[in-house]
Amino acid sequence: MKAREFGFGIIGAGTIADIHALAIKAIPDAKLYGVYSINKNKSQAFADKHDCTSYDSLEEMLRISEIDIVCICTPSGIHLDPAIKCIEAGKHCVIEKPLEVTLEKCDKIIETAYKAGVKTAVIFPSRFYESSKQIKKAIDEKRFGNLVLGDAYVKWSRSEAYYQSAHWRGTWELDGGGALMNQGIHSVDLLQWYMGPVESVQSVSANIKHKGIEVEDTIVSAVKFRNGALGTIECSTAVFPGAFKRIEIMGTTGTAILEESNLIKWQFEKAASDDERIIHNMQGGNVSHGGVSNPADISFAGHQSQLEDMIRSIETGKKPFIDAIEGRKPVEIVLAMYKSAHTGQKVTLSND
């Protein structure tokens, strides 16, 4: 018997919406029914490209009973309104990172979805890579001993044309920040997933290259984790030519270094039978350039895995792997880093 088909809709018709459409197409029991964007020309062009319907209003698209899941691909600072409308229409939501740009807006989405019994997920595809999961597994198995250092580096290049390509880019209101909120938040999410809750941050930020934007293009933060470990987060869109994003996890009995989806270091005081296989499989793989200098140059594989996870969540009744509550965590850390950079003071995070 054929598995049930899950219908998708997409809100927004920009670069990241294309990635969602490709991911949906790659899932055997998924179908993209339609797209809605306030820009009618972009919406129609997107619909023509991806063989779906361009709807004249969000309300019209939400009335399509075949649509089970809506992917929200609008600018970061306007996720709340479409999310609430989708939830109130009974549609499950997959929301591009960040969940929203303030904790108040994040909490509104979480609360509304909970009351409606609707599932929400926030896009953080890096958690779905096999190499990422191997690091998490090793941490849970205490192979690192006591965690000592957790570091995230996102040193990318963006052109002036990138920031000029849409009015919302590089603004506090709609982008929620600069290199950290837009590009670095994926690595912030991975870092807190590995290292656990952040206790405090001390940050400095600058705008070194992109003088036409409101927000930072470079930020550095010293981090103290609740478990006593320390770390650094460095993000930039001002460097040439840019480098692969990098996560370093180091403990008293082990070290792992992740470059994009490649494990370039995997070494422990006590070897395990699986280590050789992991090293062989996770090094030198075929990865995209990770958006180092071109935001469109990313793979849809992680998005596909996350959309498949949402489908499984609906089928089983379990919560999505990265639900809105999980998606709130990196936003809280990013906002604390910004507050620290703006005040010059160390910022302590809540213990919730």
Side-chain angles (χ1 to χ4, degrees), residues 174-189:
L174 298 178
D175 214 356
L180 177 61
M181 183 67 91
N182 197 310
Q183 284 80 22
I185 195 168
H186 290 286
S187 296
V188 173
D189 177 67

Side-chain angles (χ1 to χ4, degrees), residues 194-214:
Y194 293 149
M195 301 296 293
V198 169
E199 180 178 303
S200 65
V201 294
Q202 179 99 46
S203 310
V204 288
S205 65
N207 185 313
I208 297 171
K209 178 182 178 182
H210 301 291
K211 301 300 184 182
I213 62 175
E214 302 172 359

Side-chain angles (χ1 to χ4, degrees), residues 122-291:
V122 182
I123 288 287
F124 283 112
S126 297
R127 283 208 212 178
F128 287 83
Y129 293 127
E130 188 59 34
S131 49
S132 303
K133 291 188 282 188
Q134 288 291 349
I135 294 176
K136 177 62 172 171
K137 181 173 180 282
I139 290 171
D140 291 343
E141 292 173 348
K142 310 297 183 186
R143 294 197 66 199
F144 288 88
N146 293 325
L147 292 171
V148 179
L149 289 168
D151 306 306
Y153 306 109
V154 184
K155 302 176 182 182
W156 283 0
S157 177
R158 288 292 180 268
S159 65
E160 294 298 331
Y162 165 79
Y163 286 107
Q164 293 168 4
S165 66
H167 73 281
W168 59 273
R169 295 195 186 280
T171 66
W172 286 112
E173 181 184 4
L174 298 178
D175 214 356
L180 177 61
M181 183 67 91
N182 197 310
Q183 284 80 22
I185 195 168
H186 290 286
S187 296
V188 173
D189 177 67
L190 265 188
L191 195 62
Q192 65 85 27
W193 187 45
Y194 293 149
M195 301 296 293
V198 169
E199 180 178 303
S200 65
V201 294
Q202 179 99 46
S203 310
V204 288
S205 65
N207 185 313
I208 297 171
K209 178 182 178 182
H210 301 291
K211 301 300 184 182
I213 62 175
E214 302 172 359
V215 296
E216 90 291 347
D217 65 13
T218 305
I219 188 166
V220 176
S221 189
V223 182
K224 183 176 182 182
F225 298 94
R226 204 180 297 170
N227 60 16
L230 305 178
T232 56
I233 297 172
E234 297 182 17
C235 298
S236 183
T237 55
V239 300
F240 178 85
F244 287 143
K245 63 183 178 185
R246 185 180 175 103
I247 299 276
E248 299 183 358
I249 305 297
M250 299 184 180
T252 54
T253 60
T255 288
I257 298 177
L258 185 66
E259 198 171 74
E260 291 299 331
S261 60
N262 282 341
L263 274 172
I264 63 171
K265 190 171 185 65
W266 182 259
Q267 188 171 354
F268 297 92
E269 192 172 84
K270 294 181 179 178
S273 58
D274 230 17
D275 284 345
E276 192 172 330
R277 180 193 66 81
I278 291 170
I279 292 167
H280 177 76
N281 289 347
M282 302 302 165
Q283 289 183 353
N286 292 321
V287 295
S288 74
H289 292 157

Side-chain angles (χ1 to χ4, degrees), residues 31-76:
K31 180 179 178 180
L32 177 60
Y33 277 86
V35 61
Y36 167 71
S37 171
I38 57 172
N39 185 322
K40 303 298 183 187
N41 291 333
K42 285 182 70 175
S43 183
Q44 188 58 58
F46 182 95
D48 292 342
K49 179 179 180 181
H50 296 290
D51 191 25
C52 65
T53 300
S54 172
Y55 291 99
D56 291 331
S57 71
L58 177 54
E59 288 73 20
E60 183 185 3
M61 187 173 82
L62 294 178
R63 285 195 293 268
I64 303 303
S65 60
E66 289 85 359
I67 293 177
D68 305 287
I69 302 165
V70 178
C71 298
I72 297 175
C73 302
T74 58
S76 304

